[in-house]
Amino acid sequence: MKKTMKPGPATKPTTSAPLEPKRRPTINDVARLANVSKKTVSRVINQSPFVNKDTRERIDAVIKELGYAPDPVARGLASRRSYLIGLIYDNPNPQHVIDTQQGILDIIRGSGLELVVHPCNRRDKDFLAGVRGFIDRQKLAGVILPSSVSEDEELVALLREADTPYVRIASVLLDSEENSIVTHDREGARQAAEHLAGLGHKVIAHVSGPDTFRSSHERRAGFVEGLKSAGLALDKKLDLRGGYTFQSGIEAGRRLMATVSRPTAVFCGNDEMAAGVCQAIRETGLDIGKDVSVVGFDDSPLASRMWPALTTVLLPIRASGRMASVRLLGDRLTKEPLEEDDQGEVHPRLVVRASSGPAPKG
Amino acid sequence: MKKTMKPGPATKPTTSAPLEPKRRPTINDVARLANVSKKTVSRVINQSPFVNKDTRERIDAVIKELGYAPDPVARGLASRRSYLIGLIYDNPNPQHVIDTQQGILDIIRGSGLELVVHPCNRRDKDFLAGVRGFIDRQKLAGVILPSSVSEDEELVALLREADTPYVRIASVLLDSEENSIVTHDREGARQAAEHLAGLGHKVIAHVSGPDTFRSSHERRAGFVEGLKSAGLALDKKLDLRGGYTFQSGIEAGRRLMATVSRPTAVFCGNDEMAAGVCQAIRETGLDIGKDVSVVGFDDSPLASRMWPALTTVLLPIRASGRMASVRLLGDRLTKEPLEEDDQGEVHPRLVVRASSGPAPKG
DNA sequence: TCCCTTATTGCTACCGGTGTCAACGCCTAA
DNA sequence: TTAGGCGTTGACACCGGTAGCAATAAGGGA
């Protein structure tokens, strides 16, 4: 409301008047008013135990009075570690990214840390160079690797070399526990299989994600486990590979619909592909949830907005983001994390909707 | 691959051997090797014109040889301005957020700037306090305000006060041109109306977003304009207000389907609501695209994955993110921005799919 | 030849914190 | 009385840059 945005010459007070341009208080101001050295103030803001109680209280009072907050940039410079958390991802699924961001922010909000996002493309040849630039330009306080990149060992090696703390979110334990959040995708897939078997389906197809993702294997494995516990097996001809994309789902769906022994149910590695399969089913004039049941994975917004709404496996992504942050930051956090955010693992849950129904008779 | 992640005491070399722990080169290293003062190096990296050509070349050579890159944290401290761009948003639409992020990153990638995200909730009472904390903790290089928050004048006032550059992305010009990207939502809505009128529809309903968003008004206004140009008018009883949510779309759809003069087409303020309206239509057993045509707005992923696929208005969000970044950073960018990213405005485009068809006869 | 201008460069003081280490006061044990 | 130990505190250098201004060299006109 005061002046222009342009970086031009600031309107300097012509007189050397006492009114200064509303500078933020610094550690020096606090030190002066509390009549201590700035080092002692530094101790207080860093919660050092070697400060006399009275002194601490006096300083705290001044801090509050001044509304002082330490400058993260200066702190970063002096301590060689910024107050930034990096989120590296390579994800076609926006909801997934947003949920992860949200989970991280749930935890770091109020602690003076900020979230810096760094999307990347693992197929780019200079992908690693990009990440390297990112992490050692900003000396990140830590990096969170959601499932889309957490399996990349080169990337992780890079972080280790750069001495940057990290947490990997993955379907299985890939690393030490303190560096990991495990999402147990397998369990969710098993539930899906049991659900379909319980509805009486015998001929059940699977459309998996790309082989390069661990999660594809986990989901298939869980699915097979679930079938097995119901006395069923996965027919190789009904085990198709997709690419986690809508288009690949359409293609897989068309192939399945053209099979001689057409399946009465299809379990897909994610919701995108499930939507594609649904489209293929529609093209043949069959009824989803009646003639053919479909189950997805992720519980993306799409799942609940489709018609019929998609039965799917909900993965608590936001919670995994929270956990990853707690793992990463631990004691640096101001407020004590909730116990539920300190588990280190997350469990999927089946959400039954209209796209899955009893197996058709005959 | 070298040592543990724990912040514990680093493995110091026991001997004061010549091998140092691979420190990043600093401006001092460059200065020493180029045999100049660090101020001159600083001039070179800041592209000051007051440097002799030979000197500059010598320094550039050393910089390249060392692989030197200035430390953004130190720079930030000294120049009181960080190398961080803030993205503040309050958006239920993940695709929108991701696209905006992507657009910003398209531009800042390689320039040493980073993107910090700050979601917020405008209904929280301490929303402004949160933002204030954010912007003056990190002295941001600039802030980008996508449509979900760009209309908040209090927020903008805050940024002005804090002398933080910003760019607002909005459906109309709300501010000076240099602080704005205009998305012209109105044009898109007009196209939608003309499309439906062209298909022979006479009774066309509208489900708008909340009144608190300028975009709701713009979209309705454009829609009315389009109808008018086709000799039609918007029946007040068929002009419903939603909340930009799926649920509100369902409710509006149900009400419309129960109207005496049931509309043969519905234009919705966004795709979420359009999906809701589709659901309501389905509940009544009517055919989407045949009995009732539906048009959305946004071209979210949902639109192309629904069945039938949704006719909608595509808003080039990513491009608007790019433009906003160019506006914001201008000369700070290393590479010259493409001309197309320097327009300051973006135009929506109708995408025709299966959810809109000829008006039913009779 | 001398002074002034212009082009280029370096000195020195910061920016706002943290790390190291010495110093100080007071209490206890010898 | 003195040495040692603990709890506290501050002086000072430093992190890696930028800012202001003086210093220096070269060129031009009187």
Side-chain angles (χ1 to χ4, degrees):
Chain A
M1 293 310 253
K2 234 174 66 185
K3 39 181 160 175
T4 104
M5 295 304 308
K6 284 277 126 186
T11 42
K12 283 174 198 158
T14 41
T15 64
S16 58
L19 114 148
E20 287 172 20
K22 203 180 49 180
R23 203 172 42 78
R24 273 187 63 183
T26 74
I27 199 173
N28 293 302
D29 301 325
V30 176
R32 191 162 2 90
L33 265 76
N35 204 27
V36 292
S37 75
K38 61 187 207 176
K39 178 68 213 189
T40 301
V41 178
S42 172
R43 287 194 182 93
V44 169
I45 60 188
N46 288 297
Q47 318 201 57
S48 157
F50 308 114
V51 180
N52 181 288
K53 193 150 170 290
D54 292 348
T55 315
R56 178 187 303 279
E57 280 166 6
R58 184 154 36 93
I59 294 176
D60 275 335
V62 175
I63 287 178
K64 184 175 291 178
E65 189 194 325
L66 254 47
Y68 167 75
D71 179 339
V73 178
R75 286 227 272 191
L77 178 58
S79 63
R80 300 157 182 53
R81 187 111 287 180
S82 78
Y83 284 68
L84 303 175
I85 305 297
L87 173 64
I88 299 177
Y89 66 86
D90 176 7
N91 207 314
N93 180 343
Q95 185 68 44
H96 197 288
V97 176
I98 292 291
D99 283 350
T100 310
Q101 288 184 7
Q102 202 55 61
I104 298 170
L105 288 157
D106 287 343
I107 298 297
I108 67 176
R109 174 148 295 171
S111 65
L113 293 154
E114 304 292 345
L115 178 61
V116 181
V117 296
H118 187 92
C120 62
N121 188 338
R122 281 174 65 196
R123 283 162 320 191
D124 276 3
K125 58 184 183 324
D126 50 357
F127 141 70
L128 280 175
V131 172
R132 168 173 280 292
F134 174 53
I135 61 178
D136 60 30
R137 235 193 337 269
Q138 315 290 334
K139 307 138 188 165
L140 299 174
V143 173
I144 289 178
L145 306 173
S147 56
S148 50
V149 295
S150 65
E151 293 168 16
D152 193 309
E153 294 297 340
E154 285 189 291
L155 172 56
V156 170
L158 198 65
L159 293 171
R160 284 220 187 84
E161 248 177 276
D163 247 344
T164 301
Y166 64 88
V167 172
R168 304 162 80 165
I169 303 176
S171 53
V172 291
L173 192 67
L174 299 170
D175 205 309
S176 75
E177 266 187 41
E178 60 178 0
N179 288 331
S180 303
I181 301 298
V182 180
T183 55
H184 296 292
D185 295 32
R186 186 182 286 234
E187 291 175 13
R190 193 188 308 136
Q191 288 174 51
E194 286 165 359
H195 167 66
L196 289 171
L199 287 167
H201 293 275
K202 306 287 180 200
V203 187
I204 312 183
H206 177 51
V207 180
S208 69
D211 267 353
T212 49
F213 282 105
R214 187 65 176 254
S215 61
S216 303
H217 296 101
E218 286 298 306
R219 291 174 192 184
R220 182 195 285 103
F223 180 62
V224 169
E225 281 175 26
L227 289 184
K228 195 169 175 186
S229 79
L232 299 172
L234 175 57
D235 182 344
K236 283 224 171 65
K237 287 194 292 294
L238 297 181
D239 182 13
L240 269 51
R241 184 176 315 133
Y244 273 157
T245 65
F246 179 62
Q247 190 57 40
S248 70
I250 295 179
E251 286 155 17
R254 285 180 184 151
R255 279 177 51 199
L256 288 174
M257 291 305 102
T259 315
V260 185
S261 60
R262 181 168 58 69
T264 64
V266 185
F267 169 61
C268 300
N270 72 356
D271 289 348
E272 280 286 301
M273 294 194 297
V277 167
C278 285
Q279 172 147 339
I281 295 171
R282 277 245 161 64
E283 289 169 357
T284 65
L286 292 168
D287 253 15
I288 295 161
K290 254 181 84 185
D291 300 319
V292 187
S293 290
V294 178
V295 175
F297 203 109
D298 279 349
D299 194 28
S300 64
L302 181 59
S304 50
R305 284 152 181 68
M306 283 172 52
W307 181 275
L310 186 67
T311 294
T312 187
V313 176
L314 181 157
L315 214 43
I317 301 295
R318 183 164 175 173
S320 71
R322 282 200 298 270
M323 289 180 190
S325 312
V326 171
R327 274 273 188 286
L328 189 60
L329 303 166
D331 41 347
R332 292 189 61 168
L333 261 19
T334 44
K335 47 179 185 270
E336 208 54 30
L338 299 174
E339 198 193 334
E340 62 177 83
D341 288 334
D342 203 10
Q343 306 285 59
E345 45 191 276
V346 119
H347 298 275
R349 178 167 65 76
L350 185 73
V351 179
V352 177
R353 298 206 181 91
S355 71
S356 60
K361 289 164 202 152
Chain B
M1 291 312 250
K2 233 173 68 186
K3 39 182 161 174
T4 106
M5 295 305 308
K6 282 278 127 184
T11 42
K12 284 175 195 156
T14 41
T15 65
S16 57
L19 114 148
E20 286 172 20
K22 205 180 48 177
R23 202 172 41 78
R24 273 187 64 184
T26 74
I27 198 172
N28 293 302
D29 301 326
V30 177
R32 191 162 2 91
L33 265 76
N35 204 28
V36 293
S37 75
K38 59 188 208 175
K39 176 70 207 193
T40 301
V41 178
S42 172
R43 286 193 183 94
V44 169
I45 60 187
N46 288 299
Q47 317 201 60
S48 156
F50 308 114
V51 180
N52 182 287
K53 192 150 170 289
D54 292 346
T55 316
R56 179 188 302 280
E57 280 166 8
R58 184 154 37 93
I59 294 177
D60 275 334
V62 175
I63 287 178
K64 186 175 291 176
E65 188 194 326
L66 255 48
Y68 166 76
D71 179 338
V73 178
R75 284 223 278 189
L77 178 58
S79 63
R80 299 157 183 56
R81 186 112 287 181
S82 78
Y83 285 68
L84 303 175
I85 305 296
L87 172 64
I88 300 177
Y89 67 85
D90 176 6
N91 205 314
N93 181 344
Q95 186 67 46
H96 196 288
V97 175
I98 292 291
D99 284 350
T100 309
Q101 289 185 6
Q102 202 56 59
I104 298 171
L105 288 158
D106 287 342
I107 298 298
I108 67 175
R109 174 148 295 170
S111 66
L113 293 153
E114 304 292 345
L115 177 60
V116 182
V117 296
H118 188 92
C120 63
N121 187 339
R122 281 174 65 197
R123 284 161 319 191
D124 276 4
K125 60 184 183 321
D126 49 357
F127 142 69
L128 281 174
V131 173
R132 167 172 281 292
F134 175 53
I135 61 177
D136 60 30
R137 234 192 341 266
Q138 315 290 335
K139 307 137 186 167
L140 298 174
V143 172
I144 289 178
L145 306 172
S147 56
S148 51
V149 295
S150 65
E151 294 168 16
D152 193 309
E153 295 297 341
E154 285 189 291
L155 172 56
V156 170
L158 199 64
L159 293 170
R160 285 221 187 85
E161 249 178 275
D163 247 343
T164 301
Y166 64 88
V167 172
R168 304 162 80 164
I169 302 176
S171 53
V172 291
L173 192 67
L174 298 169
D175 204 307
S176 74
E177 267 187 40
E178 60 177 1
N179 288 332
S180 302
I181 301 297
V182 180
T183 55
H184 296 293
D185 295 32
R186 186 183 285 233
E187 291 175 13
R190 193 188 309 135
Q191 290 174 50
E194 286 165 359
H195 168 66
L196 289 172
L199 287 167
H201 294 274
K202 307 287 178 198
V203 188
I204 312 183
H206 177 51
V207 181
S208 68
D211 266 353
T212 48
F213 284 104
R214 186 66 176 253
S215 60
S216 303
H217 296 100
E218 285 299 307
R219 292 174 191 184
R220 183 195 284 106
F223 180 64
V224 169
E225 280 175 27
L227 290 184
K228 196 170 175 186
S229 79
L232 299 172
L234 175 56
D235 181 346
K236 283 226 172 61
K237 286 194 293 291
L238 297 181
D239 182 12
L240 268 52
R241 183 176 314 133
Y244 274 157
T245 65
F246 179 62
Q247 190 57 40
S248 71
I250 295 179
E251 286 155 17
R254 285 180 185 153
R255 279 179 48 200
L256 288 173
M257 291 305 102
T259 315
V260 185
S261 59
R262 180 168 59 68
T264 65
V266 185
F267 169 60
C268 301
N270 72 356
D271 288 349
E272 280 286 301
M273 294 194 297
V277 167
C278 285
Q279 172 147 338
I281 294 171
R282 278 243 161 64
E283 289 169 356
T284 64
L286 293 168
D287 253 16
I288 295 161
K290 251 180 85 183
D291 301 318
V292 187
S293 291
V294 178
V295 175
F297 204 110
D298 278 349
D299 193 28
S300 65
L302 181 60
S304 50
R305 283 152 182 68
M306 283 172 53
W307 181 277
L310 186 68
T311 294
T312 187
V313 177
L314 181 156
L315 213 44
I317 299 296
R318 183 164 173 173
S320 71
R322 282 200 299 270
M323 291 181 189
S325 312
V326 171
R327 275 272 188 285
L328 188 61
L329 303 166
D331 41 347
R332 292 189 62 167
L333 260 20
T334 44
K335 47 180 186 273
E336 210 52 29
L338 298 174
E339 198 192 335
E340 62 177 84
D341 288 333
D342 204 9
Q343 307 284 58
E345 45 189 276
V346 120
H347 298 275
R349 178 168 65 77
L350 185 72
V351 178
V352 178
R353 297 206 183 89
S355 72
S356 60
K361 291 163 200 153

